[in-house]
Amino acid sequence: MSDKSIENREDIMEKLVSLAKRRGFIFQSSEIYGGLSAAYDYGPLGVELKNNIKKAWWKMFVTDRQDMVGLDAAIIMSPKVWEASGHIKNFTDPLVDCKKCKRRFRADHLLEAVPLSPQHDKEKPIDWKEVKCPECDGELTESRSFNMMFKTFMGPVEDDASEVYLRPETAGGIFVNFTNVVDSMRMRVPFGIGQIGKSFRNEITTENFIFRTREFEQLEVEYFVHPDDWKKHFEDWLETMKTWCKCLGIKDENLVLAEIDEKDRAFYSKRTVDFEYKYPFGQKELYGLAYRTDYDLTQHQKASGLKMEYTDPVTKEKYIPHVVEPSLGVDRSVLACMIEAYTEVAGGRSTTTESIKDSEVVMKFPYALAPIKVAILPLSKKETLTPLAHEVYDAVRSKFVTMYDQTASIGKRYRRQDEIGTPFCVTIDFDSLEDKKVTVRDRDTMEQERVAIEKLVEYLVSKFAAYEKC
Ligand code: GAP
């Protein structure tokens, strides 16, 4: 046995996608009909992990703070919202088509894969005849703008008047409720509104499992500040986001903060810092922090004719607040958390009852985020043990998400739990009938402790509290 974790990240994705399906984390959407590309369903363990991430975010970014409140706005909003925000005009990606094989590519992604010759003058517009289709070497069309908003119709008549959009970012619902929140909650600047919800983008290219999909979930804060104070708040949120990344288990060396050039920033942003993560398929965006100025509130004031001004209750100064926006993706959080957790131990880890020689996978999730918190493993299926095992199961289940497993050898059952990242396994054996104690095994240290059944829940609560980072 070797206790060295495999550090080669390149081959992790294939193994992770397979584990995600086999162990009930993430399934291909509509799989029995051949699947829908780039759409995924979260299985029983995936939904627990995702909910734990969302709960931890809500606590850290909303309820733990005095300057934050929450919101849950509708996904379908008036199209006037997206006209005013500029999304109908500007929420586009550059698209090129292959004239031969008819495949479509996002122009900027294509240039990452098929770079221009080193002699190319960067100031000159790209001549797409110089670049060839990476699939068939065919000629490409000129680049054109493609709007990423999903359109649908509201009500029984499908005409222009009933056309609506699925929101491309949760932020829109926050901006249009700014005055509702200020008035109903008596919020004073600086304050923020947090929201978790689905967003939809008709991405030209989707890629890398749940990294880029057309339906995804966001965790967003719009933080309203005095125009003179945005720099300070920007720095504060930068630090909060770094702390959050630690809570997900992201190691410092896998995170890169990138200042985004003006030409690459979203149309509403004056400053953006991307949190890039070193995924096994390359360094790409995980989250973004943007300074949206007073752009959105001003646009909505102009378009709606209603005042979006804030009056300072002390100085009586009237102004449209500026906005600092930490914007995070739930699915990318799940992905990064799973990649960080994935640990392969060559030669396996020794167990009390048997020695397993082949390599073993341990999902080292932060304990607070693990989908299943405790596993109850009676040593035998014999009837004499079952009532006590169920008694322990019921007690633990009332406090923690718990799994009961009585099939296969104890070594195999430990491995099953390690593979889904369960922090504690509780074994009930024949001695338990006499001494009313059980054995608790810690996932990471593999240490085992004998604990009185009547103190078990209390013991687990204190263990989780000791491990809790978020
Ligand atoms: N309100 C600002 C905003 O939406 P964004 O950078 O376009 O900014 C924020 O998106 C975050 O949402 C990204 O950093 C990423 O985590 C997530 N996200 C964006 N597009 C996504 C997609 N197609 N699939 C999965 N997650 C996505």
Side-chain angles (χ1 to χ4, degrees), residues 114-170:
V114 190
L116 294 166
S117 70
Q119 285 77 34
H120 177 80
D121 176 356
K122 289 202 177 79
E123 300 304 313
K124 266 187 22 198
I126 292 159
D127 177 2
W128 285 95
K129 290 201 187 74
E130 262 190 46
V131 188
K132 293 282 175 248
C133 169
E135 298 293 335
C136 72
D137 217 29
E139 199 179 307
L140 299 171
T141 61
E142 285 305 304
S143 162
R144 63 187 191 282
S145 290
F146 171 77
N147 193 296
M148 292 194 288
M149 304 253 283
F150 268 101
K151 259 188 220 166
T152 186
F153 299 95
M154 191 123 161
V157 186
E158 293 195 4
D159 60 8
D160 288 354
S162 61
E163 215 168 74
V164 288
Y165 299 90
L166 304 186
R167 66 179 175 205
E169 56 169 5
T170 59

Side-chain angles (χ1 to χ4, degrees), residues 69-230:
V69 287
L71 183 81
D72 185 11
I75 288 175
I76 300 176
M77 304 171 72
S78 164
K80 288 179 182 164
V81 172
W82 308 115
E83 258 162 53
S85 68
H87 281 80
I88 292 180
K89 190 159 161 252
N90 300 316
F91 199 61
T92 58
D93 270 341
L95 166 77
V96 288
D97 291 302
C98 172
K99 291 182 187 169
K100 195 168 147 200
C101 72
K102 309 292 175 210
R103 281 196 177 83
R104 297 183 138 190
F105 304 96
R106 212 174 112 173
D108 50 337
H109 288 178
L110 193 63
L111 289 177
E112 280 170 22
V114 190
L116 294 166
S117 70
Q119 285 77 34
H120 177 80
D121 176 356
K122 289 202 177 79
E123 300 304 313
K124 266 187 22 198
I126 292 159
D127 177 2
W128 285 95
K129 290 201 187 74
E130 262 190 46
V131 188
K132 293 282 175 248
C133 169
E135 298 293 335
C136 72
D137 217 29
E139 199 179 307
L140 299 171
T141 61
E142 285 305 304
S143 162
R144 63 187 191 282
S145 290
F146 171 77
N147 193 296
M148 292 194 288
M149 304 253 283
F150 268 101
K151 259 188 220 166
T152 186
F153 299 95
M154 191 123 161
V157 186
E158 293 195 4
D159 60 8
D160 288 354
S162 61
E163 215 168 74
V164 288
Y165 299 90
L166 304 186
R167 66 179 175 205
E169 56 169 5
T170 59
I174 298 181
F175 292 122
V176 298
N177 278 296
F178 170 72
T179 50
N180 280 338
V181 173
V182 172
D183 295 346
S184 60
M185 303 300 290
R186 288 176 286 111
M187 300 307 287
R188 287 188 178 189
V189 169
F191 78 93
I193 305 175
Q195 177 166 221
I196 302 178
K198 292 260 179 166
S199 292
F200 301 82
R201 294 180 191 176
N202 201 3
E203 300 277 2
I204 298 166
T205 46
T206 51
E207 54 188 335
N208 296 316
F209 196 33
I210 54 171
F211 172 77
R212 191 185 308 282
T213 51
R214 297 191 171 101
E215 172 184 345
F216 57 95
E217 217 167 346
Q218 290 184 308
L219 310 142
E220 292 200 297
V221 168
E222 305 306 320
Y223 197 75
F224 301 96
V225 303
H226 187 279
D228 294 344
D229 297 340
W230 75 268

Side-chain angles (χ1 to χ4, degrees), residues 30-42:
S30 320
E31 196 182 346
I32 60 166
Y33 292 104
L36 178 67
S37 84
Y40 293 92
D41 300 337
Y42 285 82

Side-chain angles (χ1 to χ4, degrees), residues 2 10 102 213 228 241 349 366-367 369 455 461:
S2 146
E10 269 68 59
K102 309 292 175 210
T213 51
D228 294 344
M241 288 173 77
R349 306 200 295 176
Y367 281 25
L369 300 180
K455 295 260 166 59
V461 168

